[in-house]
Amino acid sequence: MPIYLDNAATTPVCPEAARAAYEAMTEGYGNPSSGYAIGQAAAAKVKEYRAAVADKLGCLPEELTFTSCGTEGDNWSIRAAVEHGKRTGKHIITTAIEHSAVLEPIRALAAQGYEVTYLKPDKSGHVSVDDLKAALRPDTVLVSMMLVNNELGTLQPVKEAAQAIKDAHCPALLHCDAVQAFLKVPFTPKALGVDLLTISGHKIRAPKGIGAQYIRKGLDVKPLLLGGGQENGLRSGTEPTAQLAALAAACTAWDPDAPARMSEVKAHALEVLSAVPGLEIISAGDAPHICAVALPGYPSEMLVRDLSDRGIYVSSGSACHKGKPSHVFAALGLPKRTLMGVLRISFSPDSVKEEADALADALTEITKNRIAMR
């Protein structure tokens, strides 16, 4: 059987989500905006789906808007925040290790005249809240900080950032990319103190193509899409009921004990991987499901291919890099030889220790059969 250890990229769809999607497509196929019975039945289901996801996120159903993915939510949040603060200023703060879905729209805004401060992580992959405090200004309109880094598994000080913004009497809105955090680490948007927060379904065993956006109650944001007025007028378009059903089912089916199991498997993986000749632990990760290692001198893409030939699947970083060097690992200031050999390993609730053993054995065999590049 294949050994899949790239769950931070995407997860297999769980049976409950697949069944829910199938039933929605074959039985609950009415358009929720239609006035007749099967349409209204679908509308009632959408209400149930929203409540189920909101319950797991710990927010009000009316604070949740469905999106197509994390990238959409991140882009929307950034655009909404700068529009909200357009009369206040043109300064943005983010981190150097955000997902590309945050960094790219911010780079586009920088090209339009916005000033951006990038908070750099320390060598362990953590951003300092003191650096954020020093960067806050009266004209700061947005702070965007992820909760769990998607390549390092490190937790970032989002709650402390919210308090810092409040203490500084800064008008900035706080956005959090919580795509890797949702259901993996305990939080609620209210407890974090965020204004906007993004989650994605395919990281929690729902299908690709569905996500959700938390928008703090009382916050006035511009609609993402105009049209028929769906999603309380914020994101028009016929509701993708099958994807919504699957997302709600995945949330409901998620085992509260899953993070503890993933953490146990990850700890075992780090132990056995430490015995691989020459291997370095880059980040043990604070979250239960992500860690990063490196084999200095062995190119990451070569390692990924060699492991794939053995039926073991890991990555050299975010799937969104598409083979390009990871800006996240580069931000740690790693030596070039180490940087070229980085691997991200990420676990699911179904991961077992024997899979970590197989990975360690395969990497050991690779180091014996290949000569490291100088």
Side-chain angles (χ1 to χ4, degrees):
M1 291 290 291
I3 296 175
Y4 184 70
L5 297 173
D6 195 22
N7 291 277
T10 197
T11 55
V13 175
C14 67
E16 295 87 348
R19 284 195 296 268
Y22 180 77
E23 290 173 5
M25 286 188 286
T26 58
E27 300 174 19
Y29 54 82
N31 187 321
S33 296
S34 300
Y36 43 72
I38 60 171
Q40 290 306 292
K45 282 292 187 181
V46 169
K47 187 176 181 180
E48 291 179 15
Y49 303 149
R50 194 184 313 278
V53 179
D55 178 66
K56 288 294 185 178
L57 185 57
C59 68
L60 299 172
E62 56 265 32
E63 293 179 306
L64 202 67
T65 301
F66 290 120
T67 62
S68 67
C69 60
T71 294
E72 181 182 306
D74 286 343
N75 274 255
W76 185 15
S77 294
I78 290 161
R79 292 288 179 178
V82 298
E83 175 67 24
H84 184 272
K86 64 182 179 182
R87 292 183 177 84
T88 301
K90 301 186 75 171
H91 179 232
I92 297 169
I93 301 173
T94 189
T95 81
I97 56 173
E98 294 297 308
H99 192 278
S100 298
V102 167
L103 294 179
E104 289 305 317
I106 287 179
R107 286 192 185 106
L109 288 168
Q112 298 171 24
Y114 279 81
E115 185 181 350
V116 184
T117 299
Y118 295 95
L119 305 178
K120 295 182 179 180
D122 60 20
K123 291 188 180 299
S124 71
H126 296 89
V127 171
S128 166
V129 72
D130 289 334
D131 289 346
L132 170 65
K133 290 177 181 178
L136 287 171
R137 302 181 342 200
D139 62 338
T140 306
V141 294
L142 167 66
V143 175
S144 185
M145 180 183 290
M146 64 192 346
L147 187 52
V148 171
N149 184 268
N150 57 305
E151 298 186 46
L152 301 169
T154 48
L155 276 165
Q156 303 305 324
V158 176
K159 184 176 181 179
E160 293 81 359
Q163 189 61 50
I165 293 169
K166 182 179 179 181
D167 291 345
H169 303 289
C170 178
L173 295 183
L174 177 59
H175 164 247
C176 177
D177 177 333
V179 166
Q180 293 293 347
F182 183 46
L183 299 182
K184 315 287 177 53
V185 299
F187 75 90
T188 66
K190 184 176 181 179
L192 290 177
V194 299
D195 301 293
L196 300 153
L197 183 140
T198 305
I199 62 172
S200 178
H202 75 107
K203 309 298 187 180
I204 59 161
R205 306 194 299 173
K208 303 169 188 67
I210 186 64
Q213 186 67 22
Y214 164 83
I215 303 171
R216 174 178 53 77
K217 186 176 180 180
L219 178 62
D220 184 25
V221 300
K222 275 202 167 185
L224 175 66
L225 297 172
L226 298 174
Q230 291 89 348
E231 294 297 297
N232 292 319
L234 291 175
R235 187 184 185 274
S236 293
T238 302
E239 295 90 339
T241 50
Q243 289 98 317
L244 300 184
L247 175 59
C251 287
T252 302
W254 187 266
D255 184 352
D257 294 329
R261 292 201 305 274
M262 289 188 288
S263 183
E264 186 176 341
V265 173
K266 186 182 76 168
H268 176 76
L270 291 168
E271 180 181 351
V272 295
L273 287 169
S274 296
V276 175
L279 185 138
E280 298 177 10
I281 305 297
I282 302 303
S283 173
D286 306 308
H289 63 301
I290 300 173
C291 61
V293 302
L295 272 174
Y298 295 86
S300 298
E301 294 307 313
M302 177 272 289
L303 292 172
V304 170
R305 288 194 301 271
D306 279 7
L307 289 170
S308 178
D309 290 343
R310 292 166 166 80
I312 302 172
Y313 305 110
V314 300
S315 70
S316 57
S318 170
C320 295
H321 292 314
K322 295 184 178 180
K324 297 178 183 177
S326 165
H327 66 276
V328 173
F329 296 125
L332 301 184
L334 298 173
K336 184 176 180 180
R337 197 162 179 271
T338 301
L339 184 61
M340 69 184 293
V342 172
L343 296 175
R344 177 185 67 180
I345 305 160
S346 48
F347 305 93
S348 81
D350 298 320
S351 298
V352 294
K353 294 178 180 178
E354 288 77 11
E355 293 174 327
D357 294 337
L359 173 61
D361 290 344
L363 288 173
T364 298
E365 184 179 345
I366 288 170
T367 61
K368 289 179 180 179
N369 294 338
R370 283 187 179 268
I371 299 174
M373 298 177 65
R374 297 297 175 188

